[in-house]
Amino acid sequence: MTSKPSISNEKKEIVKNLIKQLHQGVDVKELKEKYRYELSQVSPVEIPFIEQELLKEGFRVDDILKLCDLHVELFREVLASRELKDVPRGHPLDLLIQENQEILKWSEALGLYASLLESARDEKEVTGILGSVKTLLNELRKIRIHYRKNQMLIFPYLEKRGIIAVPRVLWGREDQVIVKIRDLSKKLQGLESGGIPAEEVSKIASELRSLSAEIGELVFRENKILYPSVWVLLSEGEWAGIAEIADNIGYIVRKEGEWRPLAKPILPYELSEEHLKVSKEKLEKLPQEFRQVVEAGSVKIDTYVARREGDLDLETGFLTPEEIKAIFRTLPLEITYADINDRVRFFTESELAGGFARAKTIIGRRLEYCHPPRLEGYVKTNVEALKQGKFKYREFWTRLGDRIIRVIIAPVKDPSGKQLGTIEIVEDMTEIVNNPEEIKKRIVVL
């Protein structure tokens, strides 16, 4: 469990005075200028604990929650101004920082609800607070979208430069947060509406406060260490590569403004060894934590070549023909592909799970002729329906001896949406259908 940080009375008074003035209607711009230096001395990790003092002094949780947007903006602006300069509106880094503003607001609310639980006077009040916590935890699940962009987009560029420890530590902390959100949500869903023991309420409050502190610390580490570092290290082309994929992953904030990079997108595997070296100029601009890692001499650039001679470009990676054949043999399903003329062009044979009998003699054969005559019309009707866009796919279940088989047919299209042909996927589902409870026992939530 995360311990309570040591907070000076001076810091407490700074935050308490600020929120009180916001509550009284003092202009935000005036407060930004007046308390700019003082706010820079307060970590987001400390804020939830300071807000507990406000609750003890009689502030209602609704009052503080309404002010979250305002004071989070103040704190985030101070942090950003200390390390990040000239980040364009709509840039991936700008959006990540905006997401952290929202995340910090959620984390502060967790701390407030923890304090409310501890001071609740009766069962009705506890039930109401826990209902609000459930809603908040459900909203907080969106944090995975934010972490996914760190893990899938930013970390690979650091790892390619040989900076391994920082991404692994951050990912580990992010994963702990995800697990705690999931476990706490599950626990609250399992609680009965009445008669919750006082010790259980206290335990939940403690877990909420711990979660709040961990999320706040991650926000601080990202905004003060990770993001300033990658802002120095990554080129515009690398950010362009990140931006394209980040749009597909999505954001937890509304994207306002469109950043238009001038450089061509560069993915990690496309970076040259020379490009990956950290220059003396960049080194001097890095936050201390990253600078120490690089200066220690333990950083070894990843020189692995992803695209080799003879590889086929498959858009999402590169494989040799030999690797492609081996992968198809290893899939626990079998595929038949027919072109736009409904002629079979390709099929696979699985070493893990068998399907319908097929042979190389079906290459060039009409797809419907690969089925019994009684099914010929049925196959043609469904393939035609797919061509006309009536369905995204069609699913069928059948038996093959004592095996239960699922068959899916779907249109195969190029990036523009033009149909190239039809794919038939055959998968043995016998064990899943016959032993569903046993399968459920094997499920591991990752």
Side-chain angles (χ1 to χ4, degrees):
M1 184 176 70
T2 304
S3 59
K4 179 177 179 178
S6 177
I7 305 170
S8 68
N9 288 329
E10 183 181 2
K11 288 183 178 181
K12 290 179 185 177
E13 291 306 314
I14 289 172
V15 178
K16 286 162 63 177
N17 183 42
L18 172 65
I19 296 179
K20 286 177 181 178
Q21 290 190 62
L22 283 168
H23 180 68
Q24 292 165 4
V26 179
D27 184 68
V28 174
K29 291 182 180 179
E30 179 184 336
L31 290 175
K32 283 181 182 179
E33 296 306 317
K34 187 175 179 181
Y35 291 95
R36 188 173 296 277
Y37 173 76
E38 288 84 352
L39 287 171
S40 70
Q41 308 307 305
V42 183
S43 160
V45 181
E46 300 169 314
I47 296 170
F49 296 97
I50 295 173
E51 288 178 335
Q52 291 174 46
E53 300 298 319
L54 290 175
L55 286 171
K56 292 176 183 178
E57 292 180 14
F59 270 81
R60 294 189 307 114
V61 66
D62 290 344
D63 290 334
I64 299 177
L65 288 176
K66 288 176 183 176
L67 299 172
C68 274
D69 287 325
L70 292 175
H71 70 252
V72 164
E73 179 186 341
L74 285 167
F75 289 117
R76 296 308 91 218
E77 180 182 296
V78 172
L79 277 178
S81 67
R82 286 167 65 186
E83 300 291 354
L84 296 170
K85 304 291 184 183
D86 305 318
V87 180
R89 193 71 173 167
H91 187 282
L93 193 53
D94 170 57
L95 294 166
L96 286 167
I97 293 170
Q98 286 187 49
E99 286 188 330
N100 265 343
Q101 293 174 1
E102 190 72 11
I103 290 167
L104 190 59
K105 181 177 70 174
W106 292 334
S107 88
E108 289 184 30
L110 287 173
L112 292 173
Y113 283 130
S115 296
L116 285 174
L117 277 177
E118 290 173 338
S119 61
R121 294 180 297 273
D122 53 46
E123 186 63 36
K124 183 178 180 182
E125 192 173 351
V126 168
T127 301
I129 295 168
L130 290 180
S132 298
V133 171
K134 288 178 185 178
T135 301
L136 179 58
L137 288 174
N138 190 54
E139 189 76 3
L140 197 52
R141 287 175 181 270
K142 295 177 185 175
I143 203 171
R144 186 187 289 271
I145 298 173
H146 176 80
Y147 291 157
R148 188 173 289 130
K149 290 192 287 291
N150 287 338
Q151 298 157 3
M152 296 292 106
L153 306 186
I154 290 179
F155 291 172
Y157 287 97
L158 293 176
E159 292 158 3
K160 193 67 179 174
R161 286 170 166 83
I163 300 172
I164 306 298
V166 175
R168 301 315 293 167
V169 169
L170 282 176
W171 195 332
R173 288 177 177 270
E174 291 167 354
D175 194 48
Q176 286 176 0
V177 166
I178 293 296
V179 171
K180 286 188 176 184
I181 292 172
R182 183 179 67 211
D183 290 349
L184 194 50
S185 296
K186 186 177 180 180
K187 176 186 286 188
L188 293 183
Q189 292 299 329
L191 288 176
E192 296 182 4
S193 58
I196 302 172
E199 59 270 20
E200 185 64 30
V201 174
S202 178
K203 187 176 179 181
I204 291 171
S206 177
E207 291 176 4
L208 286 172
R209 184 163 288 116
S210 174
L211 180 58
S212 172
E214 286 189 46
I215 294 172
E217 183 181 348
L218 267 172
V219 169
F220 186 78
R221 285 173 177 266
E222 290 178 7
N223 283 9
K224 289 291 289 119
I225 301 172
L226 177 64
Y227 295 157
S229 299
V230 294
W231 183 236
V232 170
L233 291 172
L234 272 56
S235 65
E236 184 175 12
E238 291 169 270
W239 282 116
I242 289 172
E244 283 189 351
I245 306 173
D247 283 345
N248 292 331
I249 294 175
Y251 292 93
I252 62 177
V253 295
R254 179 175 294 180
K255 186 177 179 183
E256 296 179 355
E258 190 69 31
W259 176 61
R260 299 187 183 280
L262 300 177
K264 178 183 176 183
I266 304 174
L267 296 175
Y269 69 85
E270 296 174 312
L271 295 168
S272 67
E273 189 171 343
E274 189 62 31
H275 184 103
L276 293 168
K277 292 178 181 178
V278 181
S279 67
K280 184 177 180 181
E281 181 184 3
K282 286 185 175 181
L283 186 63
E284 291 173 351
K285 294 179 181 179
L286 285 175
Q288 183 180 0
E289 292 82 358
F290 265 69
R291 188 165 63 247
Q292 288 175 340
V293 170
V294 177
E295 288 178 331
S298 59
V299 171
K300 294 183 179 180
I301 292 172
D302 182 0
T303 58
Y304 175 77
V305 177
R307 187 170 188 175
R308 304 152 300 186
E309 185 177 350
D311 278 353
L312 298 178
D313 185 347
L314 301 175
E315 194 172 318
T316 54
F318 312 102
L319 295 171
T320 64
E322 290 73 21
E323 288 173 324
I324 294 172
K325 293 173 186 176
I327 289 171
F328 278 130
R329 286 196 301 270
T330 311
L331 291 177
L333 49 82
E334 293 188 335
I335 295 169
T336 303
Y337 171 70
D339 64 17
I340 195 63
N341 299 309
D342 302 333
R343 298 283 185 162
V344 175
R345 296 270 300 162
F346 170 78
F347 70 93
T348 68
E349 292 179 310
S350 172
E351 294 177 349
L352 299 181
F356 299 126
R358 290 160 305 162
K360 291 182 181 179
T361 49
I362 69 169
I363 301 300
R365 193 180 192 186
R366 297 193 64 85
L367 181 61
E368 64 268 25
Y369 292 172
C370 297
H371 299 78
R374 59 187 168 81
L375 298 177
E376 181 179 326
Y378 190 61
V379 172
K380 290 183 68 173
T381 298
N382 280 284
V383 169
E384 189 59 34
L386 292 173
K387 289 182 179 180
Q388 294 173 6
K390 293 181 179 179
F391 307 100
K392 287 186 177 181
Y393 66 92
R394 297 287 279 158
E395 181 183 36
F396 310 96
W397 293 76
T398 187
R399 285 188 178 275
L400 187 63
D402 61 349
R403 313 303 292 169
I404 300 171
I405 304 293
R406 179 174 68 175
V407 181
I408 293 176
I409 60 171
V412 177
K413 300 179 181 180
D414 68 11
S416 69
K418 177 184 176 183
Q419 186 162 337
L420 303 175
T422 305
I423 192 170
E424 179 186 80
I425 304 167
V426 177
E427 189 173 7
D428 189 332
M429 306 292 283
T430 307
E431 187 176 8
I432 296 174
V433 174
N434 288 344
N435 303 296
E437 295 307 315
E438 182 61 33
I439 295 297
K440 288 178 182 178
K441 292 178 184 177
R442 300 182 202 170
I443 295 174
V444 177
V445 181
L446 301 176

